[in-house]
Amino acid sequence: MQFYSTNHRSRQVSFREALLKGLADDHGLFMPVEIPSLPAKFFAQLRSLSLPEIAFIVAEKFINQDIANSALQKIVAESLNFAAPLIQLDDDLCVLELFHGPTLAFKDFAARFMAKTMSYFVQNAERELKVLVATSGDTGSAVANGFFNVPGIRVIILYPQGKVSRIQEQQLTTLDGNITALEIAGTFDDCQRLVKQAFSDNELNRTLFLTSANSINIARLIPQSFYYFHAVAQAPNPNLPVIFSVPSGNFGNLTGGLIAKKMGLPVAKFIAANNANDVFLNYWRTGIYQAKSTLTTLSNAMDVGNPSNFARVAELYQHHVSEIRQDIYAASFSDEQTKLAMKEIFDQYQYIVDPHTAVAYLGLIDYVRHYPGRYTKIFLATAHPAKFSEIVKEVIGSEVSMPERLHTCLNRPKQAIPLGKEYHDFKDFLLKL
Ligand SMILES: *Cc1c(COP(=O)(O)O)cnc(C)c1O
């Protein structure tokens, strides 16, 4: 499979190049030249396949030839070594729990798969690959965990001092080994600026083998299609049409679902559930895309005013909003509605959700109110409620128990290197590493 840039259809690159580059030279996003379809035989046996088995079949369609089958088998087995169960809350109402990975958020799927594929391509490289990541919290911890102890790769995480939560900071700074955390005396924007400047610094790029692990990498998108197949495989009533509600920020998760559908997965509708950041909803209603500045909400991993994967969604539908509307329904919800939904889900089903997952639930309910009918209704749980224990406690009045793996990292010593926000300090640091 070759990959093209959303800015220039003509110049194509291999999976390896798309993965190691992240962003195309013309600053477009990489997309597969075609979405491969899966044979009827695959769908006939879907219910008997495990998540790693599904992942291998799906990934192989995109990666064929670039990674040997036996190596790809190992990559999916090692990166998907945790469950993604579909939990039935009521007759046709289900929640897909995507938070059973090491950092308790769905970003583990993508980060782990990307880490293992990058490691495959650099195994015989002369130089260590240095992965630079600027983070405001969650992406950094998934990336750090995904790359932890991966041979041939060093990860340098930049995070803004005093601006991430305690849990997030512990997740970023307690791994050690090949993970280096830099505590930058500045904002998230400063961290991002330092990383960008490093990538455009010719001298640095001659000396070092640098790449990024940001959310637009195509290798983060492919694994986000696997669990949609796995969810359909677990549907309690296989005869009902399936709808998925996806709590969305940069739209990577939803794009993974759209790819699964284009590969042949029967999905009646996707619901793009947003918080108050409603750029996509406005586009969906009017056909006009207009980025906005970001609003701060309770579901902060979805606080995005210019979703980076919007270009990919548009590309999948040849930029026709009417076709997008056939597959996707859009909705946006306030923090007040989000809290009420957390309470409602707890009262009705004794099930605790974090604010992101509550937004997905709201999207589902909104869709069914407008289009009543029988469906397997699935909303995606993207984070474990223990990651948002304060707001959960405030809303439902009881404590969420903390999973063991979160507990362990909270007790380990923080190891971060403090650094100013001047570029020359960061560059010196990289050159001495
Ligand atoms: C990143 C994130 C999202 C948003 O996912 P996108 O792929 O950016 O749309 C939703 N929920 C949680 C918990 C996240 O960390």
Side-chain angles (χ1 to χ4, degrees), residues 104-107 138-139 215 220-221 224 227 246-255 273-274 299-304 307-309 354-357 380-384 387-388:
L104 311 175
F106 90 101
K107 291 193 174 69
D138 273 346
T139 300
S215 66
R220 287 185 54 172
L221 217 54
Q224 290 176 174
Y227 44 74
V246 187
S248 295
N250 271 318
F251 281 73
N253 196 355
L254 184 76
T255 306
N274 283 125
S299 45
N300 54 16
M302 290 154 49
D303 292 348
V304 180
S308 53
N309 282 293
D354 88 290
H356 304 80
T357 306
L380 271 51
T382 47
H384 192 291
K387 278 192 110 165
F388 298 87

Side-chain angles (χ1 to χ4, degrees), residues 115 118-119 122 128-131 147 150-155 178:
M118 276 189 181
S119 164
V122 302
E128 183 181 63
L129 179 66
K130 291 189 171 54
V131 178
F147 282 94
V150 170
I153 301 181
R154 168 156 295 277
V155 177
N178 64 330

